[in-house]
Amino acid sequence: MKQSGWRWPWQKPEEPKPVRPPKIGGTRAPANVQEIDFTKPHDFYFRIAYDKSATQVFERCLLVGFTTPMADEDNQPAYEEYTHNRWIVLQREDGRRVYIPRDNLLYIEDSDPSVNS
């Protein structure tokens, strides 16, 4: 029987059950959660072109934000959050900004620290 989230005011809330990490190659991944430090430069790999056949790399960029705000209150995406309205904003080393659709992002890689900034 499924229990509801209701409880008496004097009862302590139940501790959330820990989320197990996924299996990769049949082995459980390490349980430590990594965060991306967006204060450091990264290389951003995008799939672009009409048929998304070309890969473009923006090296040593900072992720500075998005073009529209996002509402966390609703589960349904608002008009502003559709793909064509919500773009990633990157800043290059020379200060120029790049605006690119968020759905074109393939992956992010740490920039080479040995490259002079």
Side-chain angles (χ1 to χ4, degrees):
M1 185 167 121
K2 187 175 181 180
Q3 294 189 6
S4 68
W6 188 87
R7 62 182 175 80
W8 292 103
W10 58 83
Q11 290 177 317
K12 290 183 180 178
E14 290 184 26
E15 292 291 323
K17 295 180 181 177
V19 177
R20 294 177 59 184
K23 285 186 176 181
I24 300 173
T27 303
R28 187 93 31 215
N32 60 355
V33 177
Q34 300 290 310
E35 291 185 10
I36 301 172
D37 182 3
F38 286 118
T39 63
K40 297 180 181 177
H42 290 84
D43 298 341
F44 293 84
Y45 291 78
F46 289 91
R47 183 68 48 93
I48 57 172
Y50 179 73
D51 58 355
K52 295 187 178 179
S53 60
T55 301
Q56 173 74 42
V57 182
F58 295 97
E59 295 180 341
R60 302 198 51 75
C61 292
L62 295 175
L63 176 63
V64 294
F66 293 89
T67 56
T68 56
M70 187 168 89
D72 288 336
E73 300 84 38
D74 300 330
N75 289 338
Q76 298 297 326
Y79 172 75
E80 298 88 19
E81 296 177 34
Y82 288 126
T83 303
H84 61 278
N85 285 348
R86 190 163 169 81
W87 292 37
I88 294 173
V89 182
L90 303 176
Q91 185 168 344
R92 294 182 178 205
E93 288 183 297
D94 63 4
R96 292 180 298 152
R97 291 189 172 187
V98 178
Y99 304 86
I100 191 157
R102 64 181 173 160
D103 288 348
N104 293 11
L105 180 64
L106 291 174
Y107 62 93
I108 302 170
E109 184 176 49
D110 290 338
S111 290
D112 186 357
S114 66
V115 176
N116 293 335
S117 38

